[in-house]
Amino acid sequence: MSDLIKLSAAALGEKLAAGEVSAEEVTRTHLDRIAEVDGRVHAFLHVDTEGALAAARGIDSRRAAGEKLGPLAGVPIAIKDVIATKGVPTTCASKILEGWRPPYDATIMTRIREAGMVMLGKTNMDEFAMGSSTEYSAYGPTFNPWDLSRIPGGSGGGSAAALAAYEAPLAIGTDTGGSIRQPGAVTGTVGAKPTYGGTSRYGLVAFSSSLDTPGPCARTVLDAALLHEVIAGHDPRDSTSIPRPVPDVVAAARLGASGDLTGVRIGVVKEFSAEGVEPGVSAVFRDAVETLTKLGAEVVEVSCPHFEYALPAYYLIAPSECSSNLARFDGVRFGLRVGDDGNRALEEVMSLTREAGFGDEVKRRIIIGTYALSSGYYDAYYGQAQKVRTLISRDFTSAFEQVDVLISATTPFTAFELGSRTSDPYQMYLADLYTIPTNLYGGPAISVPAGLSDGLPVGLQVMAPTMADDRMYRIAAAVESVVGTFTPPAL
Amino acid sequence: MAAISREEVAHLARLSRLAVTDQELDRFAGQLDVILQSVARVGEVAADDIPPTSHAVPLENVLREDVVVPGLTRAEALSGAPDAAEDRFRVPQILADEE
C-alpha cells in the first residue's frame, strides 16, 4: 500500500503545494487503491477514472503556471451519490435513477471543483438516503472495512467506508437524521453535520427538505474543517441558505488540537444515558468524559427532557416530506419508465414505474408519510411532530444557556452484522437515536472517533448551537489530540 | 391509536401511485403498524399551547433582480427523459382508452 493514501488531506495538500508530488500521481494512487480493494468494500457506485485524471492534470498545469491554489487543490474526494454531478451518473442508489447523468452541478460540487479538488467517483448509500446501514442500496450493500461482515453505517456508508479503506482522503455526505455522523462513528472516521442552512442544498436530491444537510467526511478533524470551509457559505440558489459568514472552523480545529479546553463548559445529556446502550459504547464514552475533564473542560449533566420524543417525531416528519419530495419520480422527465406499452394510461405507468424503481424502505416511508399527512391523521401525527420539534429546540436553547456544547455517544451500538436488523425496520431506526435531535433543531454536530469496543470503533458526538460550528470542531480536535486516530485491520 | 389494516395500506399505496404486490401488502401492513404505534408517542407531550416548528431556519421569501439568466438548454433538459419527441417530453396518454 502506498504511503500517499495514508496521508491526511491537509498533509497531501501541503505535499502538492510544495511540488513533492503531482495531483495526477495522488489521483492515480487512489484509483489504484480503489481497483485493489473496492471489490470487497463496495464503497463506490461509480468511479470516474477519466474525469478524475483530467481534473488532476488540469490542477497540475495550473500549479505549474504559477497560479495560487487553495489548501486542498489536487486532493481527491469521493461524493455521495445523492449530490448532482454534471455528466457523471447520479442515482441515489435507486433503480429509478439508474444511468441518470445530471445536466448541472450541485452548488457544493461547484465549490469543490473551484477549490481544485479531484472527484474520484460517487459513493454508495441507502436508497435516497433512507436507512442506517447502507443495506437499502439497490446496488448491494457496502461493507465495513473494520469487519467485512458488518455494516458501515448509513445512509452514507459508502463515503465513510471509502475513507476507512483509504480509497479517498475526503468525502461528502448528507445528514438528515445522522447519515454523516453515524457512519463516521461505526467506521472510525470523522463526520460533521454543519448547521442546517450553512451548506447549500441546491443540487442535493431532496429527501426531507427541512432536515437534509450536506457536510464533510474525513479521517481527521482538521481535514473535515478544511472541507467544511470549502463547501459552506451562503448560496442564493437555496432559499434556506443562511446569509451569514461561516465561522472559522479551520482555526477552531487547530486551536482544539493544542488540547487545552480550560474554561469550556460541556453538557452530558442525561436522557441519553438510559437503557439500550451497549456496555462497550458506554465505557468509551465515560473515558471521553474523563479525557475532556483532564483537558480542563468542566463537564456537567444537562437535562433535555424531550429528546426521547425526537425519534418518533423524526419518523413522522421525514417520511411526510419524503412522500412529497419523491412525487417527482414519476417516469416523465428523468429516470426509469415501466409499462409504457401504448395502451396504459399515465397513472398506471406511474404506479408501475414507482413500484419497479423504489425499494422497500422508500416505499414504507412514502406510505407512512402519505398516512401522516392524510386528512383525519394530520393533527395527530404530523402536527404533533412539529410541536415536538419546538420542544426539542427549546431543550437545546435552554441547554446552551448552561453549557457551550453537548456531548453523547454518536450511536448506541457499534457496527452490527449485515442483515441483522433489516427484517425489523423500527429496530434499524434506533441506530440514529442520538443523532436525530440535532437535525430537528438545526444545529451542527460532529462525530469523532473516541475509542474501540471489542475491536470496533465508537464515536463521540459533539453538538453545538446553531451557527457555532467552530465550537464542535474545537472540542472534537481536542479529543482527537489525546485519543488519536484509528486504523482498521489491513484489507 | 388504531392499528393500520392491510386495506388501508393498499389505499395509501394507491394514493402514493405505488403498485404494490400482495406479498408487499402483507409485509408492509405488519411493519407499518409497529412503526405507527411507536411514533404515536408524539401525542403524549405536545400540548395545544405549543406552536409547531416546520423548519429550523425562519423562512422568508427570497427575491432577486428580474434579470434573464441562462438556464438549461432544451437538449439538456430532455437529456435524462425516458422518452422525448419533437423537443418535448413524451408521456403516456392521460386517459385510458375506455374513459
Side-chain angles (χ1 to χ4, degrees):
Chain A
M1 179 163 45
S2 163
D3 288 343
L4 274 182
I5 60 170
K6 288 246 177 180
L7 292 177
S8 69
L12 263 182
E14 283 169 18
K15 268 187 178 298
L16 284 156
E20 290 171 34
V21 65
S22 69
E24 183 172 353
E25 188 184 347
V26 170
T27 302
R28 276 193 195 283
T29 308
H30 283 92
L31 289 168
D32 288 348
R33 175 67 174 174
I34 293 170
E36 182 195 344
V37 300
D38 207 53
R40 280 168 284 156
V41 178
H42 194 221
F44 284 87
L45 289 177
H46 178 80
V47 179
D48 186 21
T49 305
E50 292 312 311
L53 289 171
R57 284 187 212 111
I59 289 300
D60 287 336
S61 307
R62 285 168 61 188
R63 208 185 295 275
E67 199 176 322
K68 175 98 177 83
L69 301 168
L72 294 179
V75 175
I77 185 167
I79 307 289
K80 190 177 180 183
D81 205 29
V82 69
I83 307 287
T85 47
K86 187 173 182 177
V88 176
T90 299
T91 68
C92 296
S94 180
K95 290 283 181 205
I96 211 160
L97 276 176
E98 190 163 10
W100 182 58
R101 291 171 188 259
Y104 69 106
D105 268 333
T107 294
I108 59 169
M109 197 58 230
T110 304
R111 290 179 181 175
I112 284 166
R113 292 194 207 275
E114 283 170 357
M117 301 184 69
V118 176
M119 178 176 69
L120 295 169
K122 306 299 288 291
T123 53
N124 200 10
M125 53 186 279
D126 283 299
E127 185 178 2
F128 285 105
M130 296 175 201
S132 305
S133 67
T134 317
E135 289 169 292
Y136 294 135
S137 166
Y139 303 102
T142 296
F143 304 93
N144 193 326
W146 284 82
D147 176 345
L148 296 175
S149 70
R150 293 177 188 272
I151 59 105
S155 66
S159 287
L163 298 172
Y166 296 101
E167 295 172 273
L170 287 172
I172 287 291
T174 59
D175 196 309
T176 304
S179 292
I180 291 176
R181 291 161 284 159
Q182 189 256 91
V186 302
T187 59
T189 59
V190 177
K193 180 200 105 63
T195 293
Y196 175 88
T199 45
S200 171
R201 288 186 301 108
Y202 176 79
L204 162 66
V205 180
F207 155 24
S208 181
S209 312
S210 79
L211 305 166
D212 298 339
T213 312
C217 311
R219 286 194 296 262
T220 71
V221 175
L222 177 61
D223 283 2
L226 286 165
L227 181 54
H228 188 123
E229 191 176 53
V230 167
I231 61 172
H234 181 242
D235 178 13
R237 297 212 249 199
D238 173 1
S239 66
T240 58
S241 174
I242 300 173
R244 276 166 57 188
V246 181
D248 194 341
V249 292
V250 173
R254 292 192 199 279
L255 174 66
S258 70
D260 181 11
L261 293 180
T262 309
V264 175
R265 277 177 68 85
I266 296 175
V268 172
V269 182
K270 188 174 122 194
E271 286 74 14
F272 277 168
S273 57
E275 73 278 16
V277 191
E278 268 178 19
V281 172
S282 293
V284 171
F285 179 69
R286 279 195 301 274
D287 288 348
V289 171
E290 205 170 298
T291 300
L292 290 164
T293 309
K294 279 186 189 149
L295 295 176
E298 185 188 351
V299 183
V300 297
E301 199 173 71
V302 171
S303 176
C304 296
H306 301 101
F307 276 21
E308 64 172 300
Y309 297 96
L311 190 77
Y314 174 87
Y315 279 102
L316 288 165
I317 292 168
S320 294
E321 294 183 10
C322 119
S323 70
S324 167
N325 275 323
L326 267 54
R328 75 191 61 180
F329 298 99
D330 55 8
V332 172
R333 285 144 301 160
F334 38 70
L336 188 73
R337 181 184 291 178
V338 171
D340 183 15
D341 60 2
N343 298 315
R344 289 192 174 96
L346 179 64
E347 191 177 312
E348 196 182 349
V349 172
M350 228 181 248
S351 297
L352 291 169
T353 299
R354 288 160 64 81
E355 157 68 8
F358 289 142
D360 274 6
E361 182 60 19
V362 172
K363 288 177 188 165
R364 269 193 292 273
R365 295 202 196 188
I366 288 174
I367 293 172
I368 291 170
T370 305
Y371 182 73
L373 291 177
S374 61
S375 167
Y377 297 104
Y378 181 97
D379 289 338
Y381 288 108
Y382 186 72
Q384 288 295 98
Q386 301 283 51
K387 290 180 179 181
V388 169
R389 193 169 183 172
T390 307
L391 295 170
I392 287 164
S393 290
R394 288 180 182 174
D395 279 0
F396 271 110
T397 306
S398 144
F400 290 135
E401 282 165 5
Q402 304 162 60
V403 294
D404 298 306
V405 295
L406 292 171
I407 58 166
S408 72
T410 310
T411 56
F413 30 75
T414 55
F416 48 86
E417 303 255 348
L418 280 133
S420 62
R421 285 176 186 252
T422 38
S423 61
D424 186 346
Y426 199 76
Q427 280 302 307
M428 181 77 88
Y429 296 169
L430 295 175
D432 296 332
L433 190 63
Y434 298 160
T435 50
I436 281 172
T438 287
N439 296 85
L440 294 170
Y441 158 66
I446 192 169
S447 177
V448 59
L452 299 177
S453 164
D454 285 335
L456 293 170
V458 174
L460 174 79
Q461 177 177 228
V462 183
M463 299 165 267
T466 301
M467 288 307 277
D469 302 49
D470 47 346
R471 279 192 214 171
M472 69 181 191
Y473 279 105
R474 181 180 172 196
I475 312 299
V479 170
E480 184 182 70
S481 74
V482 176
V483 305
T485 54
F486 296 86
T487 304
L491 276 166
Chain B
M1 203 59 67
I4 188 166
S5 68
R6 198 174 178 281
E7 288 66 37
E8 267 181 294
V9 175
H11 175 62
L12 291 163
R14 268 195 305 280
L15 291 176
S16 316
R17 305 286 182 268
L18 283 171
V20 285
T21 62
D22 280 348
Q23 292 93 322
E24 279 179 324
L25 272 185
D26 290 337
R27 196 167 67 244
F28 286 165
Q31 290 172 340
L32 293 173
D33 202 42
V34 171
I35 294 167
L36 287 169
Q37 301 278 354
S38 307
V39 297
R41 292 184 58 223
V42 293
E44 291 172 12
V45 282
D48 290 345
D49 59 340
I50 309 293
T53 299
S54 65
H55 228 265
V57 176
L59 290 177
E60 49 188 281
N61 206 0
V62 178
L63 302 172
R64 64 164 170 82
E65 293 301 310
D66 188 15
V67 179
V68 177
V69 292
L72 294 179
T73 63
R74 195 171 297 173
E76 284 170 333
L78 291 169
S79 65
D83 200 0
E86 298 169 24
D87 281 344
R88 281 168 280 188
F89 295 101
R90 200 197 69 77
V91 300
Q93 58 193 339
I94 304 294
L95 300 174
D97 285 340
E98 66 274 18
E99 290 182 61

